[in-house]
Amino acid sequence: MTSEKTSEIKARAKAWRDLMIQMTATIMIPLTIAGMGLYYTRWQQNVNDLKTMIDLVSDDKPERQKYGVAMFEYLLKNDKVPVEFVAAQLEYANNSSDPQLLGAMERALTKAAQVNESVQAVFTEAVERLPSRVFVTVMNEQQRACFSKLLTSLKDNDQAMITVPSIALAKWDGKVNEIRAMKDEDVPKAEVVANWLRGLGFDIEVVNLSNRWDGAKKVRPNTFELWFGNKDLPPVCTGKQTAATMN
């Protein structure tokens, strides 16, 4: 084969390669632009959906709020609510004047977690950012007043780390004071709260209910019960503070 023939074949091959590159570019550029447009459109729609959901949940009208919670559940099921938004919404509900809002949002999260497994991890992480919920049960009014004193006696930063939805009156045969954790992973946090109270002279034990009560599985993470037993009240509640408790 002559050198001229070889050169001609190489020239044709190069021309075909150039043509293929141009054809590919001609096809891919519009597809890339279309793909970017579709991504931006979906991203913008997600942002709009989140904004609509937030506006509805924070609305004063119960019917609009209810619709916002339903939208919250729908977006969760479809992985459209980042953990930061979940945490912010739960914190808003936790501080809302409407006592039913937090429960409604938690039920939405629970339902979404049954459909989308990743929601449970988001739920747990978001709840960890909230103050610990402590439901208190006392045997009498004296114990109720005592817990109020204990709460106000905590350091400001410790006090900010817990919220007390209710102080209920109930009888039980407990001889000690207990703080009950519902999840294995919440036991260390229960110990932290218990140590705060022990520092005020309140004798309290940590109890893990995760394997002792089936209902514990249905309780949201970072939730605790504090039960007053028949123990003597601490000095801070009786006015007989010792030097240790005063320090």
Side-chain angles (χ1 to χ4, degrees):
M1 183 178 294
T2 64
S3 59
E4 292 180 358
K5 190 69 172 178
T6 302
S7 297
E8 183 181 350
I9 292 174
K10 289 182 178 180
R12 287 180 178 177
K14 183 177 182 301
W16 273 108
R17 285 198 301 272
D18 292 343
L19 180 61
M20 290 300 294
I21 291 172
Q22 291 177 8
M23 291 177 64
T24 302
T26 302
I27 295 171
M28 291 304 297
I29 289 175
L31 289 177
T32 301
I33 293 173
M36 291 176 64
L38 180 61
Y39 172 82
Y40 177 77
T41 300
R42 288 183 176 176
W43 176 83
Q44 187 63 45
Q45 184 61 51
N46 288 344
V47 172
N48 290 340
D49 287 344
L50 287 171
K51 184 178 183 302
T52 301
M53 179 268 291
I54 292 170
D55 289 343
L56 288 170
V57 168
S58 57
D59 197 284
D60 292 335
K61 297 179 180 178
E63 60 273 13
R64 288 177 60 81
Q65 204 173 76
K66 184 177 180 180
Y67 185 78
V69 173
M71 189 173 183
F72 180 60
E73 181 181 335
Y74 168 79
L75 294 174
L76 282 167
K77 289 178 179 178
N78 290 277
D79 284 323
K80 293 184 177 182
V81 188
V83 63
E84 292 78 12
F85 279 85
V86 176
Q89 288 301 103
L90 288 179
E91 184 174 0
Y92 171 80
N94 195 51
N95 298 321
S96 172
S97 58
D98 181 356
Q100 298 182 353
L101 181 57
L102 181 61
M105 299 201 75
E106 289 178 348
R107 287 191 293 274
L109 277 157
T110 302
K111 290 179 182 178
Q114 295 172 352
V115 176
N116 186 342
E117 293 181 358
S118 65
V119 173
Q120 186 58 51
V122 172
F123 185 20
T124 301
E125 184 178 348
V127 167
E128 283 295 321
R129 302 182 186 188
L130 292 175
S132 300
R133 285 196 309 181
V134 182
F135 291 87
V136 180
T137 300
V138 297
M139 292 181 170
N140 51 56
E141 292 301 325
Q142 187 180 12
Q143 289 181 344
R144 186 196 298 273
C146 178
F147 181 76
S148 296
K149 285 187 176 181
L150 288 170
L151 196 59
T152 56
S153 298
L154 290 176
K155 296 178 182 178
D156 290 342
N157 57 326
D158 295 340
Q159 191 178 140
M161 293 302 294
I162 63 174
T163 180
V164 181
S166 68
I167 302 178
L169 190 66
K171 296 291 185 181
W172 69 300
D173 58 358
K175 304 301 180 185
V176 297
N177 305 313
E178 297 180 354
I179 182 167
R180 303 173 180 179
M182 307 297 152
K183 316 284 183 188
D184 289 331
E185 58 271 23
D186 283 340
V187 172
K189 190 166 286 189
E191 288 284 0
V192 170
V193 178
N195 284 332
W196 293 343
L197 296 171
R198 288 169 187 151
L200 299 172
F202 187 63
D203 189 7
I204 187 168
E205 297 182 6
V206 174
V207 177
N208 184 357
L209 292 185
S210 60
N211 295 320
R212 296 168 55 180
W213 178 46
D214 288 339
K217 299 175 183 178
K218 300 178 181 179
V219 179
R220 78 152 217 208
N222 203 16
T223 297
F224 308 92
E225 292 181 356
L226 191 155
W227 287 71
F228 272 73
N230 285 321
K231 285 285 242 181
D232 292 337
L233 296 179
V236 69
C237 294
T238 60
K240 300 178 182 179
Q241 286 183 274
T242 64
T245 56
M246 290 176 71
N247 293 331

